[in-house]
Amino acid sequence: MNNLLIWPVALPLIGSLLALVWPRRADWAGIGASVAALAVAGLVAADVMRHDSLELAIGGWTPGLGIALRADGLSAALLLMSSLVALATAIYATNYFTDAHKRADFWPLWLLLITALHALLLSGDLFNIYVTLELLGLAAVALAALGRTRAALQAAVRYLTVGLLGSLAFLTGVGLVYAAYGTLDMSTLAGQVRAEPAAWVALALMTSGLLIKSALFPMHFWLPSAHANAPAPVSAALSALVVKAAFYLVLRLWLDVFDVALGPAAAGMLGVLGAFAVIWGSWKAFRAERLKLLAAYSTVAQIGYLFVFLPVLLASAPGAARDLVFGALVLFALTHGFAKSAFFLGAGVVLQRAGHDRIAELGGTARALPVTTFGLALAGIALIGLPPSGTFLAKWQLMASAIEVGQWLWIPVIAAGSLLAGAYVFRVLGHAFGPGEGVGPALAWARQELPALLLAVVATAVLGLGAVHVWSFVVPGLAIGGIQP
Amino acid sequence: MSLSASLPLLILLSSLVPGLVIFLLHEESRRLRTVLNLLGATVKMILVGVMIWGVFHEQVYETRWTLAPGLDLVLHADALSVLFVSLSTLLWLVTTVYAIGYLEGSPHRSRFFGFFSLCVTATVGLALAGNLFTFVVFYEFLTLATYPLVAHKGTPEAIRGARVYLAYTLAGGMALLIGAVWLRTLAGPLEFVQGGILGGMEHLDPWALRWIFLLLIVGLGVKAALVPLHGWLPQAMVAPAPVSALLHAVAVVKAGAFGIVRVVYDVYGVEFAASLGVLALLGAAAAVTIIYGSVKALSQDHLKKRLAYSTVSQVSYIALGTAVLGPLATIGGMVHLVHQGVMKITLFFAAGNYAEALGVHRVSEMDGVGRRMPGTTLAFTVGALGMIGIPPVAGFVSKWYLGLGAVESGAAIWVLPVLVGSSLLNAAYFLPILYRAWFKQPPAAWPGGHEQAVGRWEIKGALLWPPLVTAGLAIAAGLFAAAPYSPLEWARLIAEREYSS
Amino acid sequence: MNEIALTLVLLSPFIAIAVLLATSMRWSLALAAVPAFAAALLTPVGSTLELSWLLLGVHFALDATGQLFLLFSSLVWLVAGVYAAATPPDPGRRRGFDLFFLLALAGNLILVLAADMVTFYVGFALMGLSAYGMVIGRRSQRARRAGRIYLAFTLAGELALFSGLLALAAAVDSRLFADLTGIAMPPVAVGLLLLGFGIKLALPGLHLWLVPTYTGAPIVAVAVLSGPMMNAGLLGWLRFLPSDASGLADWGSVLMLLGTAGLVLGVWLGVMQREPRAVLAYSSIAKMGLISALFGTALANPVHTAPIIAALVLFAMHHLLVKSALFLGVGEWEKRGRVSWVMVVLGLLALTMIGAPFTGGAFAKQGLGEAVADGLDGPAALLTLAAIGTALLMARFMWLLTRPAARPSPICRVPVVAWLALLPVALWAPSMPGAIAFDVAGLVPLGAILAALAVMAWMDARWPGLWPHGRSSDELNAIGLALRHAKRHLPALEFQSARLRVALAWPASAPAPSQGTLVIPGLLWLALFLGLLMAAVLSH
């Protein structure tokens, strides 16, 4: 069904409007829209599996004049992930916001965020992407400011300013592309781009803008405070989804549109920055005193990993070798999405129960909140990259491909990053299993603990054991199967 | 799935499922927990028994699951895996009984037994791993499952000890992972084949293979407590006695040693490894560890620390047997895998009993314990004599084969002094304990313990029988070493199949 | 039938242990050795027992040499068992001693009947280590020190033995003694075996444990230590170093040298001792030195091997009995002092020891003399030297016995009867009734002993305080004192040895003076071991 592609965008938008109009039933609108969006995302994914990609020209106008929506394996996978995460977070959020005003503010913005995200994932047109990117950023800033504390507002303002800078750069790049090639549709562009100064400058502009949005070192400075001071559901979405969207765009641009214009040096540069991000982010996470700050810095590190994939990806021979790395990349992104959201939701539970999230005073959490601790542990395992999480397989493949293309530099980076991640995750767990009453007495586990747990289980078990399906989904035609000795 | 495809998976599930269920149990549901534990252990033993019979008759058991393109999770039963699996299963059953008795009345028992079962699952998975990838997966899983056990008591020392443990094992796991990835990239997907597979691949760069070997051994050596990677082991003594017993005899340390055996025999192939020159490195590390561990043990007054350093030393016998070329040394190393496990667990059970019944943690407090707790001390004596290598306890048999293998292969010049020196050192740090226990007068009052004597028995049955049973096994393994179905005969089978291919 | 007999012999100590633990019947100590004695007399030579499922596969056999060893050893164990069983026990301590007694007996029986190397080693280890439990007996300061020293040396010996065993088993590719005929012995193996058994036989340099042990342990322990256990070492040499193997000639010469040194050492130091036990200990050293030297002769001269060894075995058996009997007698002397009939019996034993005419000792000596007569002047001279030396030692021994004992205690009839029952056997075995020989040469030692006694009496009358009583100081203490003296003048050495001492000392151990006793044997042994090893390597 070709019309299918409009629904992932339309449904959250309708929900947002409903939430705005009926603030008292905003919860229902939110959950309803999320469930519907998930269902549709599932359908899209199923369709993509059958047809390899979908396309929808809105209003029947052909690309060039009209706006096209496209879905292939990559975008369908990310779409599915974001709808799942969004649903879980939405369920959590119904219990999180006790204040009616906050709830009235939250839902419309939240659903707007989801709309923008889905639209971004499905867009096939550069200007469209700009619009959705902008919308995403604004919604994110507004949600980040919902914390209402001074720190939250400061962080949100900084996010806004920096984000605008990024968007501006991106827009300039889009303009340049239009001036040089006369079209903004990505599939058309793909055939027309050559290795020439215009393409390079445009690519540089757009990429730099996106790097700011995806918080790659050294452009990451806005992220920790923004994510740490936002309410827990918002942080989950920001870390798991929003920064991922920016990276997704980098991937699209580099792989699909500007691939002929690229050289290994550029990818290498991004990889080096990613390496710095991994080390720096992990180190800062280790030194963080608050749980949410730790999670935010961990996001910086994990984004770094995603960028480390790039040089390896581009250096691999096109075909089976590159497909393997690509699948690993997608797996990593997906797993991180689930794991980070699970972590933030769990941190949210802890924060609500204890009134603070200072790590050193989290003694007794395991006893008081066993389900949440378990969820945090599982999420942590995925963040470190230990089996049976999907990140483990992704890292394995990354290292294998790095060795194969001779880029040995990344191996110690990955090793160091993993070890530091182990350090900071187990620091938290160590305190959680320790003695103390920092979190209050044990109560029976509440419904709000469940989303975190489920997300974590997906990250660590489902994506770990079923990882093959990611590959077969994202790169159809890849020979999966038993080992040929 | 046919039996041959599902048996390895079933063995894994027989401890995984009870473990997961136990996590959900209420703290007070003692009976259900005990039933689940013992049921799981018994089912596992039965399944392992079936597997032993099958492998002996050259039946193939394999479970395969594709995790990623080109990466299969393979569970495969061959003679070597059966050796380790049967050791783990048997000792798990005994340790479960002991742990039930030891932890009675302490908090967080459901959590403990849940992770306990996960730990055994990881060990069994590791034993049954059919390729290096699967091994790495379960190796890391083992780290995760054992960390909460080490930190169980929740005291600052326990958390600290667990942190050190984690730091070492995660780092080691990383090294192992990098080595495995590199090897996979270099040589393609490799399953464990008796006799090794790398020897036949001539196109591989020997220097790359050497570096890979180093990485693998470093990674495995952390868990196997090779010097200088052993630093976590004495720190991990803060764990409760059943955990120390399991960690030292069966799970963690043995997993590392087992990994070394696998890498040398079933990945590289022992003759190929010897030609690369890497066996010399392994042998040197093993020799240094054996002597160093024993020397450090001499100066420890804390009983569990002394036993910890003794483990450091003894497990390297397995590495030593691996490093010496020749079937007899192989037999010695592999049979020591079983023998050391049984003897060491006896010692730790006894140490746990002393701590629980009398509050005795140090050697200097052990005057006259033989009078107060004769059964436990008898078990301790058997274990200690076996460690020294006095017949007919099992340790003698392993040392005999190691020595014989060394002489046969011409490596005696450095192996024999190591063996003899370490036996002397073992005597030097075990015999004084025995002397104190049996020949000295007990003090007027013991430092307080938690357990009371039960009627005529020195301590309750769940704590007394396990060490006696394992001590009996240690004697039986030595006394009946030449009988069929003994560990020695099984080790001979493995060596036969290894060297004939 | 024979297999059942052998099984019974081997199992009886364990059955006795079970009986002892269950019923505390101390006569089980004596009864444990009865089957062995009976079997030695009744079971035909050549019986075998094979249990391939036990340990690494055990084989037992009774051959001619084994029969002799079994007979004499079991007799001594029997008497010692009666002696121990009848002596009233110390409160609370006795059970340990009895247990270790039976274990040592078990070990001894195992090794005597063993037909393969591993079984021999098992028995040897069991015997040696169980003796520790006997040695520390009453847990006095002296006994504990004796136990420590004994244990250190025994362990060292066992480890050397283990290494030698491995080397031999690898070279021969079999564990049976029967397969050891006519092979080329690897030098390392020979060296280690000589070393390991040499510790048991108290070769010079390796003998440092003997005197402290014999002076510190209870008398029953010393009786079995000096008799059956010491000769187990000789059996070891006989079993492991077959006479027709090649490569032993050089070792034979080394052994001759060491043995002679042992003889001289034993006599020299023995006459200066202040305790009867110590004199007997040095006499053992001397006698074992002689035996070692003669064994070395046998190895070095293939022509004479068989006759020498045959005579040697008889000689050793005779010594076994007499020495044990002497010690038991000394036990009586210690309890009751200078009782006349005890002195007479001891005197008779001393006479047979020196080979006075009409005694079994003379027969044994004569046998040896005949064996070495054929062109071996060195050994023959050695025999003469030995005779004189023994005479001197026995004189000193008798002299010391004339001093009063410390504290007389009441008589126990049964042990005394048992000891006396040993007497005729000791005096006249192994000679057969008709072969008591009269040899002019035998009068020489007799004369020597009388002369020495006269000299000593004169010296004592002349200078009364010359040989005061008290405990002997033994060589280990002397070495320790010397080292400490040296350390005072060499501070650097102190630092190093302090470090070494920390590494080797047992934590919270006995007071300072005895700390030196562990370092020294360990170092000595290590030096010997390394020296042997290097020698073997360089000669390869």
Side-chain angles (χ1 to χ4, degrees), chain C residues 72-251:
Chain C
F72 287 97
S73 305
S74 57
L75 182 60
V76 171
W77 279 104
L78 194 57
V79 173
V82 171
Y83 196 94
T87 314
D90 280 339
R93 299 285 181 92
R94 218 43 187 177
R95 185 172 282 197
F97 182 89
D98 298 343
L99 199 65
F100 286 112
F101 182 91
L102 288 170
L103 282 174
L105 170 62
N108 200 347
L109 292 177
I110 291 175
L111 74 89
V112 167
L113 290 175
D116 75 274
M117 298 185 222
V118 175
T119 315
F120 188 96
Y121 178 75
V122 171
F124 195 80
L126 182 61
M127 182 185 79
L129 293 175
S130 312
Y132 172 77
M134 287 202 286
V135 165
I136 59 172
R138 290 213 184 119
R139 322 285 164 75
S140 64
Q141 180 85 314
R142 205 177 189 196
R144 283 208 310 266
R145 178 169 176 270
R148 270 201 300 275
I149 297 172
Y150 172 77
L151 193 63
F153 274 88
T154 307
L155 275 174
E158 267 165 38
L159 287 168
L161 207 55
F162 184 72
S163 314
L165 215 60
L166 282 174
L168 194 56
V172 181
D173 206 26
S174 158
R175 288 194 294 269
L176 299 172
F177 286 133
D179 292 337
L180 278 182
T181 51
I183 55 135
M185 302 280 285
V188 179
V190 177
L192 287 168
L193 288 169
L194 286 176
L195 179 64
F197 288 119
I199 289 182
K200 203 67 173 180
L201 289 170
L203 286 181
L206 308 169
H207 70 288
L208 296 168
W209 62 276
L210 194 76
V211 178
T213 309
Y214 281 22
T215 51
I219 202 69
V220 173
V222 181
V224 289
L225 271 170
S226 61
M229 291 207 218
M230 188 163 236
N231 283 283
L234 179 63
L235 183 63
W237 272 351
L238 291 174
R239 292 272 195 237
F240 280 89
L241 303 172
S243 39
D244 55 353
S246 60
L248 290 175
D250 295 326
W251 289 109

Side-chain angles (χ1 to χ4, degrees), chain B residues 393-485:
Chain B
V393 190
F396 169 72
V397 174
S398 346
K399 287 198 184 177
W400 172 264
Y401 272 93
L402 280 172
L404 207 58
V407 173
E408 209 184 45
S409 71
I413 193 86
W414 57 273
V415 172
L416 273 187
V418 166
L419 276 180
V420 167
S422 96
S423 290
L424 260 179
L425 289 167
N426 275 329
Y429 64 75
F430 272 124
L431 289 181
I433 302 180
L434 296 181
Y435 179 80
R436 270 182 196 277
W438 291 113
F439 294 117
K440 277 204 166 177
Q441 288 287 37
W446 301 100
H450 311 299
E451 297 281 348
Q452 300 302 318
V454 177
R456 265 187 68 222
W457 303 101
E458 64 204 45
I459 199 172
K460 67 185 174 203
L463 291 179
L464 181 60
W465 285 107
L468 288 176
V469 166
T470 49
L473 284 174
I475 295 182
L479 206 55
F480 300 114
Y485 305 116

